[in-house]
């Protein structure tokens, strides 16, 4: 769900904390108590951490599911999105650590023994999960984390604005740049990709026919196509056709809905809100080809539930995760489609979710299936930070892209050596 994709955060803070390299105090309670089972719990107390989703009803839904569980008293900490990752990882180092928490698959959490092996609860239903969601949570044949929702991200556009400007839906980055120029007026910017541009880093790489890492966990992003893409992003950044300094980040569709831009990068979660605001005056398209030999791409973000392997109630926490995110299909579909749109990671649910079968939702599912790229569990916070630095240096500040990538290579290779030898 909205609030944060996998790339809006202070990566250095998270990495240090994830590897246990920073001292941290406890976390004050956020979000208040969730309804505990009214006497139905066994006396075991569990705490779960969620970031504050942007869609109305999400907090109430998570607490409703927890209250229905009879085997333990489950309390929910609902944490301000901007603080979520730093508070989560700081608290994991203290006696107040949660028993379970949502996050994204990252190998350093496994290497440091922070998250529990959930293979035994997932294995019986593994074939009903999107294979890419299993792969992105698997290390050495063991599965860590249960995917709750898949969140494809693409460009949303105002049909009427494109029609008026005589602009076709772009399929290449050059066409997107041209469209942004034609769509920009005294009151409207042609394009919004977030204030920090972080959300489009990996799509730009994939659309250049490259990747973050290859199958041998070696650098795969340092290519001529990515260098060309960085030069184009610099040109776009300085063109005056990009919305910068928007009131809300790109996970929130307000800039598109309020007419501040004609095209906005956002996630599938925003579809119901956009429909309410714009009626049928909108459509979606994938990140266009960075270079002619590339391929359009869609980043599949999302959130997964992990069990704290260092917690006091590991088995009880695993039982709750199994109950809610494996057994309770009704709740899983409710979570995926009632508060913004998301694709259920369970194939059976994805196929039966009626709200995703028509209109732009169906188109989003098609783009997800055709162009989707999932998280690579070996692509860590420090590597993400290194790429954010590349954008800061050569897109915002005009550093030579080759030099910026050389600098990133040093940081990424240092991480790879630490993780894989």
């Amino acid at each position: 769900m909205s609030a944060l994709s996998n790339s809006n955060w202070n990566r250095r803070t998270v990495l240090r904390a994830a590897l246990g390299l920073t001292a941290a105090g406890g976390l004050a309670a956020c979000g208040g108590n969730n309804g505990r089972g009214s006497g139905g719990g066994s006396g075991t107390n569990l705490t779960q951490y969620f970031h504050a989703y942007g869609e109305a009803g999400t907090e109430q839904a998570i607490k409703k599911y927890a209250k229905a569980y009879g085997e333990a008293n489950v309390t929910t900490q609902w944490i301000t999105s901007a603080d979520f990752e730093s508070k989560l990882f700081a608290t994991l180092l203290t006696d107040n650590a949660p028993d379970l928490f949502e996050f994204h698959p990252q190998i350093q959490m496994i290497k440091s023994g922070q998250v529990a092996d959930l293979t035994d609860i997932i294995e019986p239903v593994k074939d009903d999960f999107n294979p890419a969601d299993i792969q992105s949570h698997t290390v050495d044949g063991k599965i860590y984390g249960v995917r709750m929702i898949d969140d494809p991200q693409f460009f949303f556009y105002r049909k009427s604005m494109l029609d008026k400007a005589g602009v076709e839906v772009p399929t290449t980055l050059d066409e997107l740049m041209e469209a942004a120029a034609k769509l920009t007026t005294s009151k409207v910017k042609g394009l919004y990709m977030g204030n920090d541009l972080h959300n489009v880093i990996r799509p730009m790489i994939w659309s250049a026919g490259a990747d973050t890492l290859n199958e041998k966990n070696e650098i795969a992003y340092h290519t001529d196509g990515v260098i060309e893409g960085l030069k184009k992003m610099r040109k776009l950044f300085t063109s005056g056709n990009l919305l910068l300094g928007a009131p809300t980040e790109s996970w929130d569709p307000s800039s598109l809905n309020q007419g501040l831009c004609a095209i906005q990068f956002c996630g599938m979660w925003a579809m119901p809100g956009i429909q309410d605001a714009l009626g049928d005056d909108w459509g979606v398209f994938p990140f266009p080809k960075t270079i002619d030999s590339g391929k359009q791409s869609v980043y599949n973000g999302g959130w997964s539930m992990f069990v704290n392997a260092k917690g006091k109630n590991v088995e009880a926490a695993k039982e709750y995760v199994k109950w809610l995110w494996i057994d309770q299909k009704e709740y899983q579909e409710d979570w995926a489609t009632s508060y913004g749109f998301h694709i259920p990671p369970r194939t059976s649910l994805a196929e039966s979710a009626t709200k995703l079968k028509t209109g732009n939702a169906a188109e989003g599912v098609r783009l997800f299936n055709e162009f989707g790229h999932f998280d690579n569990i070996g692509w860590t916070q420090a590597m993400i930070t290194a790429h954010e630095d590349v954008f800061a240096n050569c897109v915002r500040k005009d550093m030579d892209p080759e030099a910026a990538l050389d600098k990133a290579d040093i940081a990424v290779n240092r991480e790879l050596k630490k993780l894989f030898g």
Side-chain angles (χ1 to χ4, degrees):
M1 290 179 189
S2 67
L4 294 175
S5 75
N6 197 3
S7 53
N8 296 104
W9 305 337
N10 181 332
R11 301 296 176 182
R12 294 177 181 85
T13 306
V14 183
L15 180 73
R16 284 200 305 269
L19 298 180
L21 299 177
T22 182
L27 167 64
C30 301
N33 241 355
N34 112 301
R36 296 188 170 186
S38 50
S42 64
T44 302
N45 295 315
L46 298 174
T47 300
Q48 60 179 353
Y49 271 27
F50 276 78
H51 79 282
Y53 287 86
E55 298 83 5
T58 47
E59 182 177 5
Q60 292 81 358
I62 284 295
K63 292 180 176 181
K64 178 183 77 174
Y65 309 152
K67 191 172 184 179
Y69 187 57
E71 301 303 312
N73 303 311
V74 183
T75 303
T76 303
Q77 298 288 355
W78 195 255
I79 296 163
T80 308
S81 298
D83 302 328
F84 178 69
E85 86 295 342
S86 55
K87 286 191 174 179
L88 168 64
F89 281 113
T91 312
L92 284 173
L93 302 174
T94 73
D95 292 338
N96 298 322
D99 300 285
L100 52 155
F101 55 91
E102 64 170 0
F103 202 60
H104 315 283
Q106 298 224 337
I107 198 166
Q108 74 269 19
M109 293 199 298
I110 295 158
K111 296 274 187 180
S112 64
Q114 186 67 70
V115 293
D117 174 8
L118 304 183
T119 311
D120 56 334
I121 66 173
I122 299 172
E123 190 68 45
V125 294
K126 187 172 85 167
D127 292 345
D128 189 38
F129 273 85
N130 186 316
D133 278 321
I134 295 295
Q135 183 186 349
S136 65
H137 292 69
T138 299
V139 174
D140 297 332
K142 295 178 179 178
I143 306 168
Y144 300 84
V146 179
R147 194 65 148 185
M148 300 182 293
I149 44 174
D150 283 322
D151 277 339
Q153 297 168 26
F154 14 67
F155 284 107
F156 291 72
Y157 67 95
R158 297 283 293 267
K159 289 180 179 179
S160 59
M161 289 185 179
L162 268 68
D163 289 345
K164 186 178 178 183
V167 170
E168 297 287 322
V169 173
T171 59
T172 69
L173 188 51
D174 288 331
E175 289 173 359
L176 181 65
M177 293 163 70
E178 290 166 14
K182 288 180 181 176
L183 291 162
T184 297
T185 69
S186 59
K187 295 179 180 175
V188 180
K189 291 293 186 181
L191 180 63
Y192 181 45
M193 298 192 293
N195 289 322
D196 55 18
L197 306 182
H198 292 167
N199 291 335
V200 299
I201 294 174
R202 276 178 282 179
M204 188 213 77
I205 291 169
W206 294 320
S207 288
D211 207 339
T212 49
L213 303 173
N214 64 21
E215 290 178 358
K216 296 178 181 176
N217 289 310
E218 300 163 334
I219 286 172
Y221 58 79
H222 198 145
T223 68
D224 291 343
V226 170
I227 289 169
E228 192 176 328
L230 287 167
K231 289 176 180 175
K232 291 176 182 180
M233 295 300 284
R234 170 65 183 171
K235 193 173 176 184
L236 189 52
F237 181 75
T238 57
S239 67
N241 304 321
L242 210 56
L243 177 61
L244 298 168
T248 59
E249 252 310 327
S250 62
W251 61 261
D252 182 330
S254 295
S255 292
L256 185 78
N257 291 350
Q258 294 170 10
L260 301 181
C261 61
I263 302 173
Q264 175 177 339
F265 193 77
C266 196
M268 188 164 171
W269 57 77
M271 285 186 171
I274 295 174
Q275 186 73 35
D276 288 346
L278 303 179
D280 293 327
D281 183 26
W282 61 287
V284 292
F285 63 91
F287 196 95
K289 293 192 292 185
T290 304
I291 54 173
D292 290 340
S293 60
K295 184 184 178 183
Q296 298 171 97
S297 68
V298 169
Y299 170 54
N300 290 323
W303 292 87
S304 307
M305 187 52 62
F306 297 91
V307 170
N308 178 9
K310 299 175 181 178
K312 300 183 184 77
N313 297 299
V314 174
E315 289 307 314
K318 284 176 64 173
E319 282 300 314
Y320 177 66
V321 170
K322 177 183 181 298
W323 175 82
L324 180 51
W325 298 112
I326 303 289
D327 299 339
Q328 303 301 315
K329 282 193 165 187
E330 185 183 337
Y331 288 154
Q332 291 160 36
E333 183 170 354
D334 180 63
W335 187 238
T337 62
S338 296
Y339 317 94
F341 287 166
H342 319 265
I343 298 176
R346 300 285 288 274
T347 309
S348 57
L349 287 178
E351 289 173 350
S352 66
T354 53
K355 292 178 182 177
L356 305 182
K357 289 190 181 297
T358 56
N360 284 317
E363 177 65 4
V365 172
R366 185 187 74 78
L367 296 177
F368 167 89
N369 288 326
E370 186 171 349
F371 300 114
H373 292 263
F374 288 68
D375 287 316
N376 182 332
I377 199 167
W379 190 247
T380 68
Q381 303 286 10
M383 298 176 195
I384 291 166
T385 298
H387 273 211
E388 290 172 356
D389 289 346
V390 168
F391 259 56
N393 289 330
C394 68
V395 176
R396 288 178 171 273
K397 297 180 187 168
D398 204 23
M399 183 179 183
D400 175 61
E402 184 74 71
L405 288 172
D406 285 343
K407 190 176 173 186
D409 291 351
I410 294 168
V412 172
N413 276 321
R414 188 167 57 232
E415 274 291 287
L416 290 172
K417 187 173 183 184
K418 195 162 38 177
L419 292 167
F420 302 109

